[in-house]
Amino acid sequence: MYQNFKKTFRGELWDNLAWGAAEAYKVQEFTRILGVINKTDSKALDWLDREPRSCWARAHFDWTAKCDQLTNNFSESFNSWILHIRDKPHSAFIDQYNLDLLNLMYTRRELSMELLEGDIVPNVLFMIKKREMRYNWYEVRVVSDIEYLVVNTKKGSRYSVDLVKLECTCIEWQLSGVPCVYGIVVIRQRRGDKWARYCSPYFSVEAFRQTYSNYVYPLDNIEEWPEIEDP
């Protein structure tokens, strides 16, 4: 979407405004940036509103999916994965794709068996460890047994964290299903707690195993496929 947007609205200003609106987690911040866009050129806002905001703006994403990604990297990854067979005839493509998918399912299933039950998948743990590196930027103040206030020692910004609801006023935790940096600062003080307790069940080892628990079976040799009459 942005590739088409910048054909008409070029330059660093529009780059910052468009991505700023898309990346904002909170509706208030999103609305503020849209106001700037409208004052700069109302036609740009009209262009962005061609698509539903729930399709491109984090502030309007559905929290159910637990995904805050804005790019089409998922589809690009798939395109890269099938690059070696994309130019094959249809029947040859299907045959090789079946074998590749069979191998993928088996490899992921074997990997899932090596992971510990009650834990989270490695990629999510890596995300958490990266956020932990900013631990010293914040101070924690206790509000109640389950609620905390996290203060950025450099900027003075404040965020409320609820460990029971798995929520933070930054919204990132609710949207992504992974503790935000403010939640991590609080959780780190509760020694002995496992990260899985504070992540969406989607990212658990059990969910990963279930995803790849089924089998993909190989197709017969092409010459053994039944003849299909031309409709």
Side-chain angles (χ1 to χ4, degrees):
M1 178 176 170
Y2 175 70
Q3 295 301 320
N4 291 325
F5 177 82
K6 71 177 184 179
K7 291 177 182 178
T8 304
F9 303 96
R10 301 183 180 89
E12 185 177 356
L13 173 63
W14 288 116
D15 180 76
N16 292 334
L17 288 175
W19 280 108
E23 293 174 347
Y25 282 94
K26 305 182 78 169
V27 173
Q28 298 92 326
E29 177 65 8
F30 173 74
T31 304
R32 183 191 67 79
I33 297 174
L34 287 193
V36 176
I37 291 175
N38 189 42
K39 289 180 180 179
T40 306
D41 189 339
S42 61
K43 292 181 180 179
L45 182 57
D46 292 339
W47 194 101
L48 292 173
D49 278 335
R50 292 177 185 175
E51 298 292 336
R53 293 175 180 179
S54 59
C55 294
W56 61 272
R58 278 177 177 160
H60 289 275
F61 282 2
D62 187 329
W63 294 356
T64 306
K66 302 306 177 189
C67 179
D68 61 356
Q69 294 300 306
L70 293 168
T71 66
N72 63 341
N73 287 348
F74 292 134
S75 57
E76 291 301 327
S77 178
F78 175 75
N79 285 335
S80 176
W81 189 59
I82 65 170
L83 184 63
H84 67 295
I85 58 174
R86 284 198 306 182
D87 61 342
K88 303 295 183 184
H90 196 199
S91 58
F93 174 90
I94 293 175
D95 186 51
Q96 186 58 52
Y97 178 68
N98 168 256
L99 295 176
D100 290 348
L101 193 59
L102 181 152
N103 183 64
L104 174 69
M105 293 290 288
Y106 173 78
T107 303
R108 297 280 176 86
R109 189 163 53 250
E110 290 295 298
L111 173 61
S112 72
M113 293 299 106
E114 298 175 4
L115 303 177
L116 297 176
E117 289 189 13
D119 210 342
I120 53 177
V121 294
N123 280 354
V124 173
L125 185 59
F126 175 74
M127 290 170 55
I128 290 174
K129 294 302 180 184
K130 284 185 66 176
R131 293 173 185 175
E132 274 191 293
M133 296 173 65
R134 293 184 280 164
Y135 177 79
N136 292 326
W137 297 4
Y138 304 94
E139 291 180 352
V140 177
R141 299 175 187 178
V142 180
V143 177
S144 69
D145 291 342
I146 60 171
E147 297 171 296
Y148 299 81
L149 180 68
V150 180
V151 181
N152 186 311
T153 56
K154 295 182 179 180
K155 299 180 180 179
S157 52
R158 299 177 295 178
Y159 299 89
S160 297
V161 173
D162 189 315
L163 293 185
V164 172
K165 295 180 179 179
L166 307 185
E167 293 182 356
C168 176
T169 50
C170 76
I171 310 299
E172 184 176 355
W173 195 350
Q174 296 93 296
L175 183 57
S176 69
V178 179
C180 58
V181 63
Y182 316 109
I184 288 172
V185 171
V186 174
I187 296 168
R188 273 191 51 148
Q189 297 186 350
R190 301 168 66 91
R191 300 178 185 276
D193 278 1
K194 287 191 173 183
W195 290 115
R197 177 180 175 184
Y198 301 101
C199 294
S200 167
Y202 298 163
F203 305 126
S204 67
V205 168
E206 288 74 20
F208 184 69
R209 287 178 180 172
Q210 188 174 1
T211 300
Y212 297 100
S213 61
N214 293 319
Y215 297 87
V216 173
Y217 294 93
L219 301 174
D220 293 332
N221 295 318
I222 293 180
E223 56 270 19
E224 297 173 1
W225 292 4
E227 292 290 336
I228 302 298
E229 294 184 6
D230 186 354

